[in-house]
């Protein structure tokens, strides 16, 4: 499965392993022609990525993946096409970074209570950027032999409901959606089937998201079964939302989520890029 449009990926600026320029290079080599770099809660990689994209002739829109809370559950919201120098957005992201730092400290403390050594410094080193998240803690656990794999780290310590799953402090869904909207962008719910929600609850999330000013749903997600994509297409149409496509690329090591390795958007769904000038002439 290949798509020439990939609107969800990560660089070193957050928890990806490639520099922003290298993400764009790889996307280009893999046939992606419209890209958004969506690092977690930071715009740190945008400029470098966009400069490289311009050299290669890859079209790009600004992107970000924001963490927030909805009914005490952590949700990821993607933002596209916003003004990257909007002062209110930059200020909001500063707060988000502070929360991520506090969260990293709390993850380390909670893991210590589980009998692990303090992993904060190692996780900070691991993160390259300055704010480690759960994947960095997982890597440190693997490297120091505390667990045998990422999967085990999440299953035992970091996954949903485990000690290292710290979700306090994120802003509310409507808050982050408004950050994007007020900066002139469009908000999309990331990987809607990864929250382990019932369909009823997912519909309620979508209703609240729309009421907050959200416009889209990530319909085609890497590694997702066809039936799931179909279900999301239905939800998208029924709620009059626009559809998006994203691999959620983090590392070439994770081959099932490589750049452009994602199904195209089903024809029945109106694409989030339908009125983007950069998307002219591209069939997603
Ligand atoms: Mn990530
Ligand atoms: Mn996510
Ligand atoms: Mn992501």
């Amino acid at each position: 499965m290949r798509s020439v449009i990939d609107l969800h990926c990560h660089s070193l600026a957050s928890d990806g392993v490639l520099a922003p320029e290298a993400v764009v290079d790889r996307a280009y080599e893999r046939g992606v022609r419209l890209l958004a770099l969506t690092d977690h809660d930071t715009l740190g990689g945008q400029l470098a990525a966009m400069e490289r994209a311009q050299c290669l002739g890859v079209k790009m829109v600004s992107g970000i993946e924001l963490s927030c809370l909805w009914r005490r559950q952590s949700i990821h919201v993607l933002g596209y096409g916003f003004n990257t120098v909007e002062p209110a957005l930059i200020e909001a992201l500063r707060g988000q970074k502070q929360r991520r730092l506090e969260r990293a400290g709390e993850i380390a403390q909670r893991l210590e209570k589980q009998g692990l050594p303090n992993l904060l410094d190692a996780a900070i080193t691991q993160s390259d950027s300055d704010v480690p998240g759960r994947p960095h803690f997982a890597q440190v656990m693997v490297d120091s032999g505390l667990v045998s794999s990422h999967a085990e780290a999440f299953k035992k310590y970091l996954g949903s409901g485990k000690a290292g799953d710290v979700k306090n402090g994120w802003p509310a869904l409507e808050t982050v959606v408004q950050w994007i909207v007020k900066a002139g962008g469009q908000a999309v719910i990331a990987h809607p089937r990864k929250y382990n929600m019932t369909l009823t609850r997912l519909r309620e999330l979508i209703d609240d998201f729309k009421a907050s000013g959200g416009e889209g749903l990530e319909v085609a997600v890497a590694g997702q079964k066809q039936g799931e994509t179909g279900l999301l297409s239905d939800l998208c149409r029924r709620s009059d939302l626009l559809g998006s496509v994203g691999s959620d690329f983090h590392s070439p090591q994770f081959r099932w989520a490589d750049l452009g390795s994602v199904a195209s958007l089903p024809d029945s769904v109106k694409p989030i890029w339908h009125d983007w000038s950069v998307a002219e002439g591209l069939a997603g």
Side-chain angles (χ1 to χ4, degrees):
M1 271 186 295
R2 282 298 178 94
S3 170
V4 296
I5 296 172
D6 191 340
L7 300 178
H8 188 163
C9 62
H10 299 270
S11 77
L12 273 181
S14 64
D15 59 349
V17 303
L18 299 183
E21 298 91 335
V23 172
V24 177
D25 288 346
R26 189 176 180 87
Y28 177 72
E29 284 158 17
R30 296 179 55 82
V32 175
R33 294 296 175 263
L34 175 58
L35 182 71
L37 177 67
T38 52
D39 277 309
H40 295 283
D41 303 304
T42 179
L43 298 174
Q46 294 296 304
L47 194 60
M50 286 194 177
E51 281 177 3
R52 180 60 62 98
Q54 202 158 27
C55 293
L56 294 173
V58 173
K59 308 282 192 195
M60 267 189 98
V61 289
S62 58
I64 197 160
E65 182 170 18
L66 295 166
S67 294
C68 65
L69 278 183
W70 177 75
R71 296 191 186 170
R72 308 191 59 202
Q73 182 165 9
S74 123
I75 302 291
H76 288 174
V77 171
L78 296 159
Y80 298 119
F82 50 84
N83 175 11
T84 56
V85 293
E86 175 72 32
L89 176 62
I90 289 169
E91 189 52 40
L93 294 178
R94 202 168 289 148
Q96 200 78 332
K97 180 172 180 179
Q98 188 56 37
R99 277 184 287 273
R100 278 194 168 266
L101 278 169
E102 286 164 9
R103 175 173 173 265
E106 199 180 335
I107 291 173
Q109 275 180 10
R110 289 211 205 166
L111 293 176
E112 256 191 298
K113 284 190 189 144
Q114 297 293 304
L116 298 181
N118 191 314
L119 304 174
L120 184 59
D121 288 342
I124 288 171
T125 307
Q126 181 67 41
S127 72
D128 264 319
S129 69
D130 44 1
V131 190
R134 284 181 292 170
H136 304 114
F137 281 95
Q139 190 58 47
V140 168
M141 285 183 202
V142 173
D143 292 346
S144 50
L146 294 163
V147 294
S148 58
S149 66
H150 265 250
E152 190 188 343
F154 272 84
K155 201 172 169 202
K156 282 191 175 163
Y157 298 111
L158 298 165
S160 185
K162 302 295 171 185
D165 176 28
V166 177
K167 45 192 159 198
N168 313 340
W170 294 126
L173 176 76
E174 55 267 36
T175 304
V176 302
V177 170
Q178 280 302 306
W179 290 348
I180 297 165
V181 171
K182 284 184 177 150
Q186 293 171 285
V188 169
I189 298 176
H191 41 65
R193 293 304 278 166
K194 294 212 176 134
Y195 306 117
N196 295 318
M197 281 182 191
T198 61
L199 206 49
T200 308
R201 196 173 157 95
L202 182 54
R203 286 204 189 99
E204 289 165 0
L205 167 65
I206 288 171
D207 289 345
D208 285 356
F209 178 72
K210 266 201 88 169
S212 306
E215 288 184 54
L217 207 59
E218 198 171 49
V219 167
V221 175
Q224 185 170 257
K225 292 198 179 93
Q226 229 179 348
E228 298 286 286
T229 306
L231 184 147
L232 291 173
S233 303
D234 289 345
L235 283 174
C236 215
R237 274 194 308 272
R238 250 180 242 163
S239 305
D240 200 19
L241 286 171
L242 302 168
S244 188
V245 172
S247 65
D248 206 359
F249 170 78
H250 284 74
S251 160
Q253 216 187 317
F254 307 142
R255 309 183 80 116
W256 58 91
D258 210 332
L259 288 154
S261 281
V262 57
S264 308
L265 198 64
D267 289 336
S268 58
V269 177
K270 191 170 184 182
I272 186 87
W273 58 85
H274 75 97
D275 60 353
W276 296 357
S277 59
V278 291
E280 266 166 38
L282 281 177

